[in-house]
Amino acid sequence: MFRDINFEDIVSEHYASLYRFALSLSRNEVDAADLTQQTFFIFAQHSRQIRDASKVKCWLFTTLRREFLRGVRSQNNHPHVEFKPEIHDSPAISPDALRSLDGKAVMDAMTKVDTTYRVALELFYLSELSYKEIAQVLEIPVGTVMSRLSRGKEQLKATLSESVFERERKIIPLPRDEKASH
Amino acid sequence: MKRPHIKVTTESARFLMSAYRPNGADAQDPVFKKALEQIGSDPGLAKWFNDQREFDEIVLERLNSVQPPPELKSAILTGVRTTMIHRERFQYRWLALAAILLISCFILGKFNFPHAANQFDAFQSDMLALFHPLPVLDLSTDSFEQTQQFLKANAAPTAPNVPEELRRMQTAGCKSLRWRGHMVSVTCFELPNGDFLHLFVVNKGTFADSPIPHGFLKNGDWHILFSESDGMVLMWMSRAPMNELRMLV
């Protein structure tokens, strides 16, 4: 289809991570799928303008984010941003406790992180972009990316700790006798 | 005094290493190099880093477990293939349109706007047509000097470097006209044998970069010679014998 770029390979390589990024932005599976499709649609239209194949990933994530923001602006539906107090010392969360959470729970926890930090964090985890590429996608200095990642991770740990705590609180331990009868 | 310094360095390392990807892709990045060295010499920092990496790996693993809808990939590929087909058709349409325009321009140019190489032919044909019937001159005078003064006063091109023999020759007069937006002057000399020699002068820019035809040309019973002087193109035209003209010009 393309002279230099194999489109099918690009879709196969990036569609899942783009979908996850879209899901974290839109928080809606249908919108996430639409955003992912729209991103590849734009890519198909402009692929000949991308001369460096190594920039494709960064281009796709930048485009998806722009499309999301465009949609948000057109709907005049700015996401509510709740600013939380800064957390300097994140609460400890054991790896086992963390592993006990499923993907959806981690994704939900991610959505509770301040938007300012969340987008950098999502790009870090979901796209596995480098801090330089994240800076490019978000059009901010690299120092700001590092700062947002650092603070974002602290908030994510705090949110995940809460999730683990909430989950454990819901589990009511059975009395010893009842346990024995099973 | 030492502790705050060490603490700041550790904090800086923690700050930097928050951007270090768990897959190790940043290991060669010089930005992380010093922080990694610091980790190697600071057990507390090393523990924090290990915990951080484990945290990142688990988060990454959990997030990657979220799978897109199974039909999404095929939907993307189908949509994109359709886009590509439309785009190619659109491009072909543009190519076809461009080709049609190009051919149209060529045909129009061929019939209405002579090619640069044929501009001299067109010029001589149009000027010859001017002499069927004979044109009415703007100034009737037997003085070459007067013709040139008149033409100059009327912003028409004057003849540069006219041979002395011709300058002394009697003229019938002169005329100025426009050809395709360019001013042209014509001075008519009366030759001793009773024939006329007409000198057309026009700015060389009229013919763009097309080369001036060499040698005598024949059009009906007219002999034509083109020459160039001081940015002007001179066209000599007469029914007089060619060798006579050659001696004069």
Side-chain angles (χ1 to χ4, degrees):
Chain A
M1 232 182 295
F2 297 113
R3 281 179 201 148
D4 305 321
I5 302 168
N6 185 320
F7 201 86
E8 196 157 344
D9 287 352
I10 287 170
V11 173
S12 302
E13 195 178 338
H14 300 297
Y15 88 101
S17 54
L18 274 170
Y19 169 79
R20 287 183 204 111
F21 182 50
L23 186 61
S24 72
L25 290 172
S26 66
R27 305 177 192 188
N28 177 303
E29 287 174 7
V30 176
D31 289 347
D34 286 350
L35 266 173
T36 311
Q37 276 190 283
Q38 177 66 8
T39 303
F40 281 110
F41 172 77
I42 296 168
F43 177 70
Q45 287 182 313
H46 297 90
S47 60
R48 288 185 187 180
Q49 293 168 14
I50 305 165
R51 294 183 181 176
D52 187 351
S54 67
K55 305 273 187 216
V56 167
K57 185 179 178 183
C58 204
W59 190 94
L60 288 169
F61 279 89
T62 306
T63 305
L64 192 143
R65 181 174 167 270
R66 281 187 185 155
E67 279 303 295
F68 169 73
L69 292 173
R70 201 172 58 82
V72 166
R73 280 191 209 108
S74 68
Q75 288 168 24
N76 198 19
N77 181 25
H78 295 278
H80 175 68
V81 179
E82 186 186 338
F83 288 98
K84 295 173 183 172
E86 276 197 18
I87 302 160
H88 292 288
D89 289 313
S90 54
I93 178 167
S94 72
D96 288 340
L98 193 56
R99 281 196 181 93
S100 69
L101 297 170
D102 62 8
K104 192 183 174 301
V106 176
M107 190 74 94
D108 287 345
M110 187 82 91
T111 61
K112 289 173 186 167
V113 173
D114 287 346
T115 312
T116 314
Y117 309 134
R118 182 165 58 86
V119 182
L121 212 56
E122 284 159 351
L123 286 168
F124 179 82
Y125 285 121
L126 298 169
S127 69
E128 294 185 69
L129 291 175
S130 72
Y131 67 97
K132 286 176 194 167
E133 290 168 324
I134 295 170
Q136 208 177 319
V137 172
L138 299 180
E139 293 159 355
I140 54 172
V142 288
T144 310
V145 172
M146 287 176 166
S147 171
R148 288 184 186 180
L149 287 174
S150 176
R151 289 175 180 179
K153 282 185 185 181
E154 298 303 312
Q155 280 198 9
L156 181 63
K157 281 178 193 170
T159 314
L160 286 167
S161 288
E162 278 175 24
S163 301
V164 170
F165 177 73
E166 286 292 315
R167 199 177 60 101
E168 283 175 352
R169 208 171 61 171
K170 283 176 189 170
I171 300 168
I172 302 160
L174 293 168
R176 191 174 287 273
D177 293 349
E178 281 184 45
K179 252 185 181 176
S181 65
H182 283 281
Chain B
M1 290 295 285
K2 275 183 181 177
R3 280 192 73 82
H5 177 71
I6 291 164
K7 193 179 177 183
V8 168
T9 310
T10 306
E11 285 300 310
S12 301
R14 283 174 68 161
F15 175 77
L16 284 172
M17 296 314 287
S18 293
Y20 190 86
R21 284 176 288 179
N23 61 6
D26 299 313
Q28 300 305 315
D29 190 324
V31 167
F32 299 112
K33 203 175 175 183
K34 282 189 178 174
L36 285 166
E37 284 169 8
Q38 176 68 19
I39 287 163
S41 60
D42 183 338
L45 188 60
K47 187 187 178 308
W48 171 87
F49 182 58
N50 286 336
D51 290 348
Q52 184 71 54
R53 285 196 79 171
E54 192 172 15
F55 173 81
D56 285 342
E57 279 164 13
I58 297 166
V59 169
L60 191 61
E61 186 191 300
R62 288 289 173 269
L63 289 173
N64 281 340
S65 70
V66 176
Q67 290 302 312
E71 73 285 354
L72 182 63
K73 187 182 169 185
S74 61
I76 291 167
L77 286 171
T78 308
V80 162
R81 280 187 190 119
T82 314
T83 307
M84 295 303 293
I85 290 164
H86 281 296
R87 194 177 75 167
E88 278 168 16
R89 279 185 186 160
F90 184 71
Q91 283 172 343
Y92 284 136
R93 268 183 218 151
W94 272 109
L95 279 173
L97 189 64
I100 290 164
L101 278 170
L102 201 68
I103 291 162
S104 305
C105 286
F106 176 76
I107 292 165
L108 281 170
K110 191 84 178 164
F111 290 104
N112 296 322
F113 306 104
H115 189 264
N118 296 327
Q119 288 227 359
F120 284 97
D121 292 345
F123 182 72
Q124 61 164 286
S125 297
D126 290 350
M127 294 308 114
L128 274 172
L130 196 70
F131 285 82
H132 296 287
L134 285 167
V136 177
L137 297 173
D138 294 337
L139 175 71
S140 293
T141 174
D142 57 0
S143 164
F144 172 74
E145 292 305 323
Q146 279 185 16
T147 59
Q148 298 309 290
Q149 282 168 14
F150 175 85
L151 292 169
K152 196 173 183 181
N154 287 280
T158 53
N161 306 318
V162 174
E164 196 55 38
E165 195 181 346
L166 277 173
R167 282 178 173 275
R168 288 198 303 267
M169 203 172 278
Q170 205 171 318
T171 65
C174 64
K175 180 179 175 62
S176 66
L177 59 130
R178 279 195 172 270
W179 185 74
R180 294 183 181 172
H182 300 276
M183 283 299 288
V184 181
S185 72
V186 53
T187 307
C188 304
F189 297 93
E190 287 183 8
L191 299 178
N193 66 1
D195 283 325
F196 285 94
L197 171 63
H198 308 289
L199 170 60
F200 295 84
V201 182
V202 64
N203 195 294
K204 196 193 170 198
T206 306
F207 306 100
D209 295 321
S210 48
I212 294 173
H214 286 289
F216 278 95
L217 307 168
K218 198 160 166 55
N219 194 329
D221 52 353
W222 292 94
H223 298 116
I224 298 156
L225 180 72
F226 283 97
S227 64
E228 186 191 344
S229 182
D230 288 348
M232 294 290 175
V233 167
L234 283 67
M235 183 176 83
W236 307 89
M237 194 172 85
S238 180
R239 285 193 176 98
M242 216 177 277
N243 55 350
E244 197 177 328
L245 281 176
R246 192 175 284 123
M247 287 173 73
L248 284 168
V249 301

